[in-house]
Amino acid sequence: MDPNSLQRFKTPLDAVNALVSRIIRISKTTSLQNQPCHIAFSGGSTPKLLFQTLAKSYLDEIDWKLIHIFWVDDRCVPPDHPESNFGMTKAHLLDHVPIPGENIHRIMGEADPEVEADRYSKALLSQIPLDENIPRFDLIILGIGDDGHTASIFPNQMTLLEHDSICAVGIHPASGQKRITLTGKTICYGKEVIFLVTGSGKSSVVAEIYNQTELATTYPAAHIKPLLNPAEWLVDTAAARKI
Ligand code: 6PG
C-alpha cells in the first residue's frame, strides 16, 4: 500500500461520508459525459452503513438512473438467503433509492457456480466499456477480511489474483462455501478502487499492509494494485489503531 493512499477518519460514518463524496464525484463526472456510471460493490457487513447513508442522506444527490450496480462478489446462495450480498444491498439500498431495475446486475447465487461465473463474466463484457477486453468499472468498492482476503479471493486461492477470466469461483476456506468473485485482474482494471475498512478487527491486517511486511504478501488485498490509480484506503480510527 502506498502510505499516501490511506486516509484515517474518526468514525465509520466519517469514512462512509468520504466514500459517498467520491461516489457523487464519479457519478457526476460520468453524468457530464452522459455515460452510465458502473459501480461494483462488495458485500459483508461493512457496506451496510454506506448503503444506509446513501439512502438516508444522499438520495437526491445522485442521478440513480445513470448508476449501474454490480457486485464484486457474492455467495452461491439464493438472493433471499441471509448471506446474500445482493439481498443485503437490496435491503439497505436498492429498496430505498429510485434505481431502475435494469440497472441492477446481480450475481445469480442460486445458479451452478461455474455456469454463473461464466454468465456473469459475459454480462460484464457486454455491459461495461472494455480496455484490452477487460471491463473497466468506474468504481470498485472493496472490503478486507481479518485474514487479508478481499472480494472472495482468499489467502489459499492467490491464483485468483492473476486468473485470466473476468470472474471465477472462490471458496471460503473455513466454510467451503462457494462464491462468485471478480478476479484480481478485473479489479485492477477499475478506474478507481477504494477499500472501506472499519473496526478494530481489521487493525492488524491494515497495519501489516500499510507497513508492507512479509506477512502482508500473504494477503490478497495487499496485491490489489490498480493500473490507473493506486487503491485508496478509507479507514476509521479503530482499524488504523496499529499504524
Ligand atoms: C463478502 C465480501 C468480502 C468482504 C470482507 C469484509 O462477500 O464477504 O465481499 O470481501 O468485503 O469479507 O467483510 P466485513 O465487511 O463483513 O468485515
Side-chain angles (χ1 to χ4, degrees):
M1 172 199 304
D2 170 355
N4 298 322
S5 66
L6 183 139
Q7 285 195 46
R8 299 176 211 223
F9 297 90
K10 194 160 183 287
T11 67
L13 184 57
D14 292 337
V16 159
N17 281 325
L19 178 49
V20 172
S21 66
R22 284 151 177 80
I23 292 173
I24 291 170
R25 166 179 56 78
I26 292 165
S27 65
K28 283 191 164 42
T29 301
T30 52
S31 171
L32 286 173
Q33 298 158 355
N34 205 24
Q35 293 295 319
C37 183
H38 301 101
I39 302 177
F41 286 119
S42 285
S45 58
T46 302
K48 283 180 188 169
L49 183 59
L50 168 65
F51 297 153
Q52 291 161 351
T53 305
L54 275 169
K56 176 168 168 279
S57 312
Y58 296 92
L59 182 64
D60 301 327
E61 308 252 331
I62 291 173
D63 184 353
W64 293 97
K65 66 179 181 305
L66 287 177
I67 303 290
H68 281 254
I69 290 180
F70 301 81
W71 277 263
V72 169
D73 64 334
D74 210 341
R75 293 76 182 276
C76 292
V77 295
D80 57 356
H81 188 283
E83 291 185 26
S84 166
N85 288 338
F86 165 78
M88 183 273 285
T89 311
K90 182 176 185 298
H92 296 284
L93 178 64
L94 304 180
D95 285 349
H96 309 284
V97 296
I99 186 167
E102 62 269 23
N103 291 19
I104 298 168
H105 309 274
R106 75 178 180 93
I107 292 168
M108 296 181 179
E110 67 276 26
D112 171 85
E114 292 297 343
V115 170
E116 179 57 14
D118 183 57
R119 184 202 69 82
Y120 202 61
S121 296
K122 290 189 170 83
L124 298 182
L125 286 165
S126 68
Q127 298 270 350
I128 298 174
L130 306 178
D131 184 348
E132 298 174 324
N133 210 32
I134 293 182
R136 193 179 284 289
F137 286 93
D138 293 293
L139 173 61
I140 297 175
I141 296 172
L142 298 175
I144 186 170
D146 56 13
D147 63 351
H149 82 262
T150 192
S152 283
I153 304 173
F154 294 94
N156 65 337
Q157 272 194 305
M158 300 284 264
T159 53
L160 293 184
L161 286 166
E162 292 303 325
H163 200 285
D164 266 346
S165 52
I166 306 295
C167 301
V169 177
I171 301 174
H172 191 285
S175 66
Q177 184 186 60
K178 289 190 175 179
R179 299 167 166 210
I180 308 299
T181 185
L182 297 186
T183 57
K185 199 170 179 181
T186 305
I187 292 170
C188 289
Y189 266 74
K191 285 184 188 169
E192 297 199 38
V193 178
I194 299 177
F195 282 90
L196 175 66
V197 188
T198 61
S200 57
K202 310 295 174 69
S203 59
S204 297
V205 287
V206 167
E208 295 292 341
I209 295 174
Y210 184 84
N211 294 316
Q212 300 177 53
T213 65
E214 190 63 30
L215 181 58
T217 63
T218 67
Y219 296 154
H223 295 272
I224 298 298
K225 300 191 191 312
L227 301 174
L228 284 185
N229 304 293
E232 197 178 9
W233 292 69
L234 307 182
V235 182
D236 76 341
T237 306
R241 67 192 173 91
K242 291 180 179 173
I243 53 176

